[in-house]
């Protein structure tokens, strides 16, 4: 039996689907008051609990051989420092403890590329065992660096744990849109009128999932692997979307200085509306930062091979269209 924490999220529900296709028995940890819409119709055992509630986590790990720990708070906005610490750091500490006490054979932890200290332009980010929370930008990155350190310490103490670092996640099966997911939806609905210049390394969620499974099968205990995809600018993404959808890409480029000057007000405004802002100070920093990285180690040791970004965007657009045509989500369809 395999346990997946964060099973309803973008990576989580895509992983559950992949494991089921491999005829694995899956137990999904979902929050006590959560609607598991992304898992509906799938042959999976649902258990209510929370990584911050040790007793529920301990019970969820009973009889489990492998744990994929994906649960976490992702935040590129202001605030949430305490929540990020509570869930991403203390929650991971609880997962480690539960795996030890329930004698779980292997723990696969989904960290983030943000856990690495950003390097100067021109230098490539590669795997390291040294993570410095005080040297990364943003509360989210700090929490992932701290949690990664906990995993490395657990490995040194004898726990069989493998750590993965995805870059920017995009792709189908995103039931709650991220900022990039919302950008794609806004583009498809003709609501995207301008863009911010910059770029990042984006990777298909299905390739991340394949990397997680490969890490479970082949990864060396105590090692970490970057799961990157393709370096691409926002403008290039929009041009690909234009080619795929036939919708004209916006030509207005929002000046970076103006975006930076209005980012805080934008976040506060959209927070009042209870909507995701088009951009935040952290997202601007990310798009302008050095995101040069490589998946060479994951390819060499695991056989990891991400697909072209055009394929990801084409499948994402097709998946979103199907949901809109059918008036809701199709939960058990497959997009390989």
């Amino acid at each position: 039996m395999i346990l997946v924490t964060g099973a309803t999220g973008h990576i989580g529900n895509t992983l559950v689907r992949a494991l089921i296709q491999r005829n694995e028995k899956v137990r999904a940890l979902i929050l006590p008051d959560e609607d598991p819409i992304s898992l509906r119709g799938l042959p999976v055992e649902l258990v209510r609990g929370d990584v911050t509630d040790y007793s529920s986590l301990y019970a969820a790990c009973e009889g489990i051989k492998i744990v994929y720990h994906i649960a976490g708070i992702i935040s590129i906005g202001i605030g949430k420092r305490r929540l990020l610490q509570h869930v991403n750091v203390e929650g991971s500490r609880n997962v480690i403890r539960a795996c030890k006490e329930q004698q779980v054979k292997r723990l696969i932890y989904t960290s983030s590329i943000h856990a690495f200290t950003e390097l100067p332009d021109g230098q490539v980010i590669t795997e390291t065992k040294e993570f410095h929370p005080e040297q990364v930008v943003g509360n989210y990155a700090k929490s992932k660096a701290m949690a990664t350190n906990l995993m490395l310490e657990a490995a040194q103490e004898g726990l069989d744990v493998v750590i993965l670092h995805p870059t920017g996640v995009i792709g189908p099966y995103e039931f709650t849109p991220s900022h990039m997911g919302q950008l794609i939806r806004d583009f498809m609905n003709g609501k995207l009128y301008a863009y911010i210049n910059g770029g990042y390394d984006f990777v298909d969620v299905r390739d991340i999932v394949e990397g997680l499974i490969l890490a479970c099968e082949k990864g060396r205990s105590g090692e970490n692997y970057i799961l990157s995809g393709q370096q691409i600018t926002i403008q290039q993404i929009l041009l690909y979307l234009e080619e795929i959808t036939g919708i004209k890409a916006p030509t207005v480029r929002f000046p970076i200085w103006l975006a930076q000057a209005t980012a805080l007000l934008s976040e506060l405004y959209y927070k009042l509306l209870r909507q995701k802002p088009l951009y935040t100070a952290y997202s601007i920093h990310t798009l302008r930062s050095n995101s040069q990285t490589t998946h060479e180690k994951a390819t060499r040791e695991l056989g990891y091979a991400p697909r072209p970004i055009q394929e990801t965007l084409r499948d994402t657009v097709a998946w979103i269209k199907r949901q809109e045509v059918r008036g809701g989500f199709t939960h058990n369809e497959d997009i390989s």
Side-chain angles (χ1 to χ4, degrees):
M1 177 73 78
I2 295 173
L3 175 68
V4 178
T5 74
T8 60
H10 194 190
I11 297 176
N13 90 84
T14 309
L15 173 62
V16 169
R17 295 167 192 276
L19 292 172
I20 290 172
Q21 288 178 354
R22 288 167 169 77
N23 297 316
E24 299 284 1
K25 293 182 179 180
V26 182
R27 180 180 296 165
L29 182 68
I30 62 174
L31 294 170
D33 58 351
E34 187 173 13
D35 180 3
I37 185 172
S38 61
L39 301 177
R40 197 168 298 159
L42 298 177
V44 57
E45 178 188 345
L46 301 179
V47 294
R48 300 281 178 177
D50 192 329
V51 294
T52 64
D53 175 10
Y54 182 72
S55 62
S56 67
L57 184 61
Y58 178 83
C61 286
E62 185 176 357
I64 294 295
K65 292 184 178 180
I66 298 168
V67 171
Y68 287 92
H69 177 37
I70 305 171
I73 301 294
I74 301 174
S75 175
I76 61 172
I78 56 177
K80 296 188 178 180
R81 182 182 63 82
R82 290 184 180 179
L83 181 62
L84 287 163
Q85 176 77 20
H86 187 51
V87 176
N88 294 357
V89 182
E90 297 308 319
S92 294
R93 194 189 304 276
N94 285 339
V95 169
I96 290 170
R97 178 185 168 193
C99 285
K100 288 179 177 179
E101 295 187 357
Q102 289 284 24
Q103 298 183 353
V104 170
K105 290 187 176 180
R106 173 156 272 204
L107 169 60
I108 308 298
Y109 173 58
T110 304
S111 179
S112 169
I113 194 69
H114 294 285
F116 293 99
T117 301
E118 185 181 324
L119 299 177
D121 288 344
Q123 294 187 28
V124 178
I125 300 169
T126 58
E127 289 83 356
T128 178
K129 299 293 179 62
E130 296 183 3
F131 292 88
H132 305 283
E134 71 282 358
Q135 295 180 9
V136 297
V137 178
N139 292 324
Y140 171 70
K142 293 180 189 299
S143 71
K144 298 304 280 189
M146 294 172 70
T148 301
N149 278 331
L150 290 177
M151 295 293 167
L152 290 171
E153 291 171 7
Q156 291 178 347
E157 295 169 356
L159 184 64
D160 188 344
V161 56
V162 184
I163 303 164
L164 290 308
H165 302 270
T167 54
V169 186
I170 55 175
Y173 306 123
E174 188 178 44
F175 290 82
T176 302
S178 62
H179 287 268
M180 281 303 299
Q182 191 61 54
L183 180 144
I184 295 172
R185 285 165 169 79
D186 286 347
F187 181 97
M188 293 173 64
N189 293 323
K191 295 180 180 180
L192 191 67
Y193 308 110
Y195 67 94
I196 297 174
N197 193 30
Y200 200 62
D201 188 292
F202 292 100
V203 59
D204 193 299
V205 67
R206 295 164 295 181
D207 294 328
I208 294 173
V209 162
E210 182 67 17
L212 292 172
I213 294 173
L214 286 169
C216 184
E217 296 172 348
K218 304 177 182 180
R220 290 182 289 140
S221 182
E223 290 296 319
N224 57 336
Y225 302 87
I226 291 173
L227 301 181
S228 58
Q230 179 178 334
Q231 190 83 16
I232 188 170
T233 66
I234 296 299
Q235 183 182 34
Q236 287 174 312
I237 288 177
L238 297 179
L239 291 175
Y240 281 140
L241 288 173
E242 178 182 298
E243 181 181 325
I244 292 166
T245 65
I247 300 170
K248 190 68 177 175
T251 57
V252 177
R253 188 168 67 186
F254 204 49
I256 192 68
W257 64 265
L258 183 57
Q260 290 171 328
T262 59
L264 181 58
L265 289 176
S266 173
E267 289 186 62
L268 294 173
Y269 172 73
Y270 280 98
K271 188 175 182 180
L272 290 173
L273 296 179
R274 301 193 176 202
Q275 297 177 13
K276 278 190 174 68
L278 182 61
Y279 60 90
T280 68
Y282 187 68
S283 67
I284 295 170
H285 166 80
T286 299
L287 291 175
R288 303 289 292 179
S289 66
N290 173 24
S291 57
Q292 293 289 334
T293 187
T294 176
H295 54 74
E296 188 276 332
K297 180 179 178 181
T299 297
R300 172 169 40 86
E301 296 193 15
L302 308 179
Y304 172 74
R307 71 198 73 197
I309 199 72
Q310 298 98 314
E311 180 181 336
T312 300
L313 292 171
R314 185 175 64 248
D315 289 351
T316 302
V317 167
W319 186 81
I320 293 172
K321 283 182 176 179
R322 276 197 286 274
Q323 315 318 312
E324 293 176 347
V325 168
R326 297 172 183 176
F329 293 115
T330 303
H331 308 286
N332 56 4
E333 67 178 72
D334 174 46
I335 301 177
S336 300

